[in-house]
Amino acid sequence: MAPELGGLINFMLRGRQSLEPRRLNRRRLLAGLLALPASGAVGAAVPLAQGRSGDKWFGGAVSLARPSGPVLTRADGQILENLDIYAPYGNGITALHQGVIVRSCRIRHAMGSGIYARGAAGIRLQDLEIDHVGVPPGTEPSQNRNNIELESCPDAIIIRVKASRGSSNIYVFDCPGTQMSFLELHDARGPFPRGQNVQFDRSPDTSLEEFSAENGPTSWTEDNISAFHSDRCTIRRGLVFYNNSPTGAGVMLEGSFNCRVDDVDAVQQGNGAFSAVPQGKVGSGGCSFNRCRSRDTYNEPRDGRDAPTSNGLSFHTRISEGAEKHSVRDCCVYALASPRNLIWQRAAVHAGWSIERKPFDPRPPLRLAFNWQ
C-alpha cells in the first residue's frame, strides 16, 4: 500500500479529539478509495440546480453520472461535480485539501457524514442534495452522521444546499469566516450534543442567510440554529420551525459576543424562541435581535420528550459580568403558550426593547428543486 494512502486510511480510522471515534470498516473504506479516479477533477461542468426562494427561480436541469461509492479528495483545488454518491459506510465525500469545490451532486450516506472536511480552507459546497438514509425514527444512535461536517476549514462557503435527517444538518467547528446561504434543512436527529439544523462551534465571523430549518415529530432536536463560542456571527432572513427539546431554542447564541439576528421567524418552539446567554466560563454580551418574530409556541411534553424547562419563554437573555447588554428591537409575538413569559432576564437587555403582540404570517420555507437526470 502506498504510504500516502495508508496515512489517509489511518487518519480516517483514528476519530477526532473530543468527538466519538468513527468506527469505519477498513476493507470497505479501502475499496471506496481505490475506486476513485486519479485526475484532479471528477465530473464535468453542469448547470446549477433549480431552486426557489419566495418567487425567485434560478438554474436548470443537472445530468448526474451513474451512482458511485465514497469519494476522497486528492489535491488542492480539486473540483467534484455532477456526482451521484451512495455511501453505506464511511463519509460520502471526505475533503482533506484546500480550495476544494463540490457542486451539483446528490449524496446519500448511512454510517458516516455526507460531507466531512478537515483542514480544507476555502472549501466551497454548492448546489447539493444530501440525505442521511436509513435513519430510524427519533434519535440517531451516533452523533457523527451529520449531513455536512467541517473542521478547521476557514472561509468555507455553503450555498444552495438541501440537507435532511443528519445528526445535525450542518456542523462547522473551528471554521472562522464561513458563509452560508440558501439552505433548506430538515429533520435533525441528534443525539446530544448534535441535534441542530446548523451549529457554528468556535467559528467567529460566520454568516447564515436565506434559510429554513424545519423539524417535526420524527426529529430529536437541540437548538435549530446555534452559535456556540462564536463571536460576531450574523443570522438573517430565515425560518426556524418546530423544536421538541426541553432545553433547546430556535436561535441560540451561547457563549458568544456581538452576534446579530435579523428577520428570523420562530414557529412551534417550546423552551425558547431566541436566546443569548453565557456558557460556563465563556461570557456573552452585545447581541441583537431585530425584527424577529415568534408564534404558536407550546409548553407541554412533546414526541416522548419532557416539557420545556423554561415554561415557554420567548426571549432568554443573560450577560456576563461587565459585558454590554443585548438589544431586542421591533420584534413580534403571537399565539404564545405562556403570553406573559416574554423576556428573562430583562436586566440583560437595553432599555427601550420592543416586542409587539399581533398576528403575522411566518416567512415561507425555502424550497430547492434539484432536477437530477
Side-chain angles (χ1 to χ4, degrees):
M1 181 185 300
E4 296 84 357
L5 183 56
L8 289 173
I9 292 173
N10 288 335
F11 166 78
M12 291 295 294
L13 295 174
R14 277 200 306 267
R16 299 186 302 285
Q17 183 178 5
S18 78
L19 296 179
E20 173 188 314
R22 293 178 181 267
R23 296 177 175 84
L24 300 183
N25 182 293
R26 184 183 182 94
R27 181 177 297 174
R28 287 182 174 123
L29 175 61
L30 179 59
L33 298 183
L34 294 178
L36 295 176
S39 65
V42 178
V46 293
L48 298 180
Q50 189 179 67
R52 180 175 66 183
S53 175
D55 294 325
K56 299 177 182 178
W57 289 82
F58 47 85
V62 175
S63 296
L64 297 179
R66 63 183 178 85
S68 73
V71 174
L72 177 69
T73 62
R74 294 193 167 191
D76 291 348
Q78 186 174 10
I79 298 174
L80 306 176
E81 62 184 357
N82 191 24
L83 298 176
D84 188 3
I85 296 171
Y86 175 61
Y89 298 93
N91 306 316
I93 293 176
T94 300
L96 306 176
H97 297 87
Q98 299 183 22
V100 168
I101 298 174
V102 182
R103 64 191 180 203
S104 298
C105 295
R106 177 172 61 186
I107 302 169
R108 289 161 289 176
H109 61 105
M111 302 298 288
S113 291
I115 296 176
Y116 172 70
R118 181 175 182 180
I123 188 171
R124 184 181 182 96
L125 308 177
Q126 174 180 328
D127 298 295
L128 306 174
E129 184 176 14
I130 308 173
D131 188 16
H132 178 203
V133 296
V135 61
T139 183
E140 157 61 43
S142 170
Q143 68 181 33
N144 290 323
R145 295 171 186 170
N146 304 302
N147 296 129
I148 294 175
E149 180 175 342
L150 308 183
E151 182 178 352
S152 302
C153 300
D155 301 317
I157 295 176
I158 305 174
I159 180 170
R160 293 190 296 276
V161 172
K162 179 179 180 180
S164 305
R165 302 190 293 181
S167 299
S168 288
N169 297 130
I170 298 177
Y171 175 56
V172 297
F173 174 78
D174 188 25
C175 298
T178 296
Q179 299 177 46
M180 309 183 199
S181 59
F182 292 98
L183 305 182
E184 180 187 343
L185 309 169
H186 296 274
D187 200 9
R189 293 300 186 91
F192 181 86
R194 301 285 70 78
Q196 303 82 17
N197 297 110
V198 179
Q199 183 172 50
F200 325 139
D201 186 345
R202 296 170 178 84
S203 299
D205 303 302
T206 290
S207 65
L208 170 64
E209 302 181 337
E210 307 291 351
F211 67 93
S212 56
E214 302 171 77
N215 299 297
T218 60
S219 306
W220 195 270
T221 58
E222 292 304 325
D223 306 308
N224 294 65
I225 307 297
S226 166
F228 183 84
H229 297 190
S230 298
D231 299 338
R232 300 177 302 280
C233 288
T234 301
I235 301 166
R236 289 184 175 137
R237 297 185 297 279
L239 170 70
V240 291
F241 181 87
Y242 202 98
N243 188 309
N244 56 23
S245 170
T247 57
V251 177
M252 168 67 80
L253 312 176
E254 190 172 12
S256 301
F257 286 88
N258 302 316
C259 295
R260 185 181 181 102
V261 183
D262 297 341
D263 303 297
V264 174
D265 288 352
V267 180
Q268 293 199 36
Q269 302 294 314
N271 186 59
F274 301 97
S275 181
V277 295
Q279 193 278 323
K281 296 182 179 179
V282 181
S284 173
C287 297
S288 62
F289 298 97
N290 305 293
R291 301 175 303 281
C292 293
R293 305 185 296 181
S294 175
R295 63 169 292 164
D296 304 330
T297 62
Y298 74 96
N299 191 26
E300 66 278 334
R302 176 174 279 195
D303 303 332
R305 305 184 74 180
D306 292 339
T309 56
S310 73
N311 193 32
L313 181 63
S314 292
F315 288 82
H316 183 198
T317 54
R318 292 187 291 117
I319 58 172
S320 46
E321 185 176 357
E324 180 186 355
K325 292 184 177 183
H326 305 301
S327 62
V328 177
R329 300 188 180 97
D330 301 321
C331 294
C332 179
V333 295
Y334 177 66
L336 301 182
S338 301
R340 297 183 179 180
N341 200 10
L342 286 183
I343 297 180
W344 188 85
Q345 303 167 329
R346 294 190 184 186
V349 177
H350 282 297
W353 58 269
S354 54
I355 302 176
E356 186 177 3
R357 301 175 189 267
K358 67 176 183 179
F360 67 88
D361 293 326
R363 299 173 64 91
L366 187 69
R367 290 294 178 259
L368 301 176
F370 293 95
N371 295 329
W372 308 123
Q373 296 181 356

